[in-house]
Amino acid sequence: MTRSFPGLSELKELDHDRLSALAEKIRTFLVREVSRTGGHLGPNLGVVELTLAVHRVFDSPRDKIVFDTGHQSYVHKILTGRAVDFGTLRKAGGIAGYPQNSESVHDLVENSHASTALSYVDGLAKSFRLRGEKDRTAVAVVGDGALTGGLAWEALNNLGAGGSPVVVVLNDNGRSYAPTAGGLADHLAALRSGEGTGTNLFELLGFGYVGPIDGHDTVAVEEALREAASRREPTVVHCVTEKGHGYVHAENDEADRMHAVGAMDPETGEQKPGSGRSWTSLFGDVIAEIGAEHEDVVAMTAAMLLPVGLGRFAREFPERVIDVGIAEQHAVTSAAGLAMGGSHPVVCVYATFFNRAFDQALMDVALHGLPVTFVLDRAGVTGPDGPSHHGMWDLALLGRIPGMRVAAPRDADQLSLLLREAVAVSTGPTAVRFPKATAGPAIPAMQRMDGVDLLRRSPGMPLDVLIVAAGVTATAALEAAELLESEGLGVTVVDPRWILPVNPVLVHFAARHRLVVTVEDGVRGGGMGSALREAVSDTRVTTPVVTLGLPKSFLAHGDRATILRACGLDGPSIARVASASIPALPEGAPTSAEVTR
Ligand SMILES: Cc1ncc(C[n+]2csc(CCOP(=O)(O)OP(=O)(O)O)c2C)c(N)n1
Ligand SMILES: CC(=O)[C@@H](O)[C@H](O)COP(=O)(O)O
Ligand SMILES: [Mg+2]
């Protein structure tokens, strides 16, 4: 398969006709392969010619090419010898859906968080200059959506000072998922249409500007890149492209031009429906109901209105939904302003992207005790999008924020209840987190004790093991309980619902058991388990607390269930740890059942 695509040196020698033929061949390949594996079809169809031109003009890896967000790097991967691997795209052990250093010397930035490329090339170009490497160029391929991120403007400000051999390839398809929002989008639209009056924003900031050019004309892009490269100064090459270009089903997809697809029929563009309802879909209904119940609720998204489930809310309350672009930091501080103004903002972001807005949540929302609710979708292990997409840091971050209350629903019923409880809090921030998964069946509680749901207590058995499960880990915790009971250990499984800060009643539960095991789909240090262990250690309770969670490492892409199992968060693994960790009873000591009788 590699043989059917040219390598970089051969690519530079192709004539224009063969270039056009190659572009079509790549497009056909993308549709065939990505319809099998799933992935970012639309964005990559939109950068076929642009990527060909970039690799014909610049000499990777001596010249450094940075793809912002990296979801549009499939063509780059094809041209750098990995076409043969596309059957493994985003699968465990297969090639990543983003650049990956371990795959190729041509890959640089693995972080799939948007708006970073300009900062990377700013640093790269400065290092070239400091090392006297005058013939090297740093190239950023940046989408119009990525340009709405604050970090991009910090970089533009620095690059605009000049002196850096940087070429900014602006891949302007007018969309993130949906059409890009805001004043910048309007400015780019004016430039695209040729009505950009006089000097444009980039020139005002000190950049050279070449364009707008047809981003699907390889030769035109190539000429523009050569011109930009020759200037040895920061220069923007404004490429006008179409997301999903050349594949009718993507071109006709008004929602997001097939931004990210699952396995699908390439002939019809029909994706195979999943079984059951996703957490996102359930959330979408609940937030719309809440929108009707609470006029002060305002929903916010960072360029991901549909992916975070706000479609229905937006249809029913168009005046109360705000899309800030890819600008999570702005979203949170703007939410602080909304809350100061008397609204109750619900900021809906993927958990991994909340990382970026930590300081805003801490110092703009929590410091002022403002009623902002964070809804963190894709919390925990996500799977195919790899290390920078696993939403595994949020609990450790949220746990550091004074006054922040965090809820993790175990099923759809709890999602509805907890979200309503969250928007009813007026004295400070709240967060509700749930995974990228289909919601499982309802998990009823035997009873609620001071806010903690008792999910299981081994009938007629001693109080040996207390399992404290955060959100959806309740399912695995209950599986573990059954296994432990078969070993003769009495198990209590509880769901705190509000998992941070720790509910003090859990310390009393701990005191009555021989071992506590906490389970969370988040990084092990600093989350719910750590907090409970700390709460127990602040008392005279001596029950040992074993905390189970994700390792503090960058987890490779793969399948969510497989990764969770590998991290010991499935039922059998939890049972094994509990069984191995329970302290032996002293000789002749009464079992805890006798004590509690
Ligand atoms: C900080 C951050 N927020 C949100 C996302 C989710 N996301 C991935 S791609 C994308 C749209 C990117 O639009 P653009 O930069 O224009 O690239 P295009 O897909 O149009 O090629 C978004 C919002 C992200 N990767 N990083
Ligand atoms: C590139 C990016 O950040 C998103 O498009 C990411 O692929 C999330 O995908 P899901 O919405 O399928 O979780
Ligand atoms: Mg775009």
Side-chain angles (χ1 to χ4, degrees):
M1 186 73 80
T2 315
R3 286 185 298 281
S4 64
F5 292 99
L8 295 184
S9 48
E10 190 184 342
L11 172 67
K12 294 178 191 294
E13 304 306 319
L14 295 183
D15 62 28
H16 295 168
D17 291 343
R18 291 185 65 196
L19 268 180
S20 300
L22 175 58
E24 278 326 296
K25 189 175 192 177
I26 289 173
R27 225 169 230 110
T28 304
F29 177 87
L30 285 172
V31 171
R32 186 184 69 221
E33 293 299 315
V34 180
S35 61
R36 286 186 193 135
T37 61
H40 290 98
L41 183 57
N44 284 283
L45 288 169
V47 296
V48 174
E49 292 82 5
L50 178 156
T51 309
L52 290 174
V54 164
H55 274 302
R56 280 168 58 90
V57 174
F58 299 103
D59 292 320
S60 174
R62 179 156 180 73
D63 293 330
K64 292 301 179 189
I65 301 167
V66 179
F67 291 90
D68 196 295
T69 317
H71 63 307
Q72 78 297 52
S73 60
Y74 295 5
V75 181
H76 161 80
K77 292 200 172 196
I78 291 167
L79 296 173
T80 50
R82 287 166 277 179
V84 67
D85 305 310
F86 264 73
T88 70
L89 182 66
R90 309 193 325 161
K91 305 258 184 290
I95 58 172
Y98 307 96
Q100 179 108 355
N101 292 330
S102 59
E103 289 177 23
S104 169
V105 293
H106 300 288
D107 287 14
L108 202 55
V109 174
E110 301 185 356
N111 175 14
S112 59
H113 289 198
S115 316
T116 64
L118 294 175
S119 296
Y120 279 107
V121 296
D122 175 58
L124 282 160
K126 283 169 178 158
S127 82
F128 297 159
R129 202 172 58 202
L130 288 168
R131 295 154 60 93
E133 296 166 337
K134 297 185 187 312
D135 64 336
R136 302 181 75 178
T137 306
V139 182
V141 177
V142 191
D144 57 297
L147 220 44
T148 60
L151 184 58
W153 289 89
E154 295 170 28
L156 285 172
N157 178 47
N158 280 273
L159 284 165
S164 290
V166 163
V167 174
V168 177
V169 185
L170 173 52
N171 171 33
D172 181 7
N173 53 29
R175 307 173 78 98
S176 283
Y177 286 73
T180 308
L184 172 67
D186 298 342
H187 180 58
L188 292 180
L191 292 178
R192 286 197 300 268
S193 66
E195 291 153 16
T197 49
T199 309
N200 65 48
L201 201 50
F202 303 107
E203 290 168 322
L204 288 173
L205 284 174
F207 286 78
Y209 174 83
V210 180
I213 52 171
D214 176 357
H216 297 297
D217 179 340
T218 310
V219 175
V221 177
E222 192 173 322
E223 283 167 6
L225 292 177
R226 291 192 193 284
E227 161 58 25
S230 68
R231 299 186 184 182
R232 310 308 295 158
E233 282 289 332
T235 305
V236 171
V237 177
H238 186 181
C239 299
V240 181
T241 64
E242 179 187 26
K243 196 170 209 174
H245 184 74
Y247 179 54
V248 64
H249 300 302
E251 290 174 349
N252 294 339
D253 174 9
E254 265 321 300
D256 67 11
R257 296 294 170 83
M258 292 193 164
H259 173 88
V261 298
M264 70 175 198
D265 177 341
E267 295 308 315
T268 64
E270 295 295 318
Q271 297 181 49
K272 299 183 176 84
S275 60
R277 288 195 67 185
S278 69
W279 282 94
T280 308
S281 160
L282 292 167
F283 163 71
D285 284 342
V286 177
I287 192 63
E289 292 160 10
I290 290 174
E293 297 157 8
H294 296 268
E295 284 189 352
D296 61 338
V297 163
V298 176
M300 301 182 80
T301 174
M304 300 177 79
L305 186 126
L306 295 180
V308 297
L310 289 177
R312 181 181 157 192
F313 189 99
R315 285 191 301 276
E316 295 178 11
F317 311 104
E319 75 292 349
R320 283 195 273 146
V321 66
I322 300 170
D323 179 353
V324 297
I326 309 180
E328 288 84 359
Q329 291 173 298
H330 167 71
V332 175
T333 303
S334 179
L338 277 157
M340 286 172 171
S343 299
H344 190 120
V346 178
V347 179
C348 306
V349 294
Y350 285 6
T352 190
F353 303 135
F354 171 78
N355 301 353
R356 179 166 279 191
F358 171 73
D359 188 61
Q360 288 71 33
L362 178 69
M363 292 302 177
D364 294 319
V365 174
L367 177 64
H368 301 106
L370 293 168
V372 174
T373 295
F374 296 89
V375 174
L376 304 181
D377 193 342
R378 271 55 172 189
V381 169
T382 50
D385 283 295
S388 53
H389 259 79
H390 296 309
M392 56 188 277
W393 318 99
D394 59 314
L395 291 179
L397 292 171
L398 292 164
R400 309 283 69 72
I401 298 178
M404 172 68 76
R405 298 185 59 214
V406 183
R410 63 176 185 270
D411 60 24
D413 297 341
Q414 292 307 313
L415 172 65
S416 177
L417 293 168
L418 285 167
L419 204 48
R420 284 181 167 81
E421 290 169 31
V423 299
V425 173
S426 59
T427 53
T430 52
V432 180
R433 66 167 335 237
F434 46 79
K436 176 177 184 176
T438 302
I443 304 175
M446 295 166 66
Q447 64 182 102
R448 181 163 295 169
M449 303 161 80
D450 294 325
V452 172
D453 277 1
L454 177 63
L455 304 184
R456 185 188 187 96
R457 172 162 284 166
S458 308
M461 295 181 73
L463 299 177
D464 294 313
V465 181
L466 170 68
I467 304 180
V468 182
V472 293
T473 68
T475 303
L478 290 166
E479 282 174 38
E482 282 189 35
L483 294 167
L484 289 165
E485 285 164 5
S486 66
E487 294 175 23
L489 290 170
V491 185
T492 305
V493 179
V494 296
D495 166 13
R497 302 178 71 250
W498 290 96
I499 60 176
L500 286 172
V502 164
N503 185 324
V505 76
L506 289 175
V507 179
H508 299 297
F509 271 85
R512 299 184 58 208
H513 290 77
R514 293 165 56 202
L515 174 72
V516 178
V517 177
T518 65
V519 192
E520 58 202 294
D521 182 6
V523 66
R524 189 164 158 258
M528 177 191 75
S530 300
L532 179 54
R533 179 190 280 141
E534 192 178 311
V536 168
S537 69
D538 288 349
T539 69
R540 285 201 297 275
V541 175
T542 57
T543 311
V545 178
V546 172
T547 61
L548 300 180
L550 301 172
K552 188 171 75 172
S553 58
F554 297 111
L555 302 175
H557 57 274
D559 163 70
R560 171 174 159 81
T562 308
I563 297 171
L564 287 172
R565 189 164 45 251
C567 295
L569 296 182
D570 60 313
S573 303
I574 296 167
R576 270 194 300 277
V577 168
S579 185
S581 308
I582 191 155
L585 280 170
E587 274 303 308
T591 64
S592 40
E594 287 147 14
V595 169
T596 48
R597 221 171 266 131

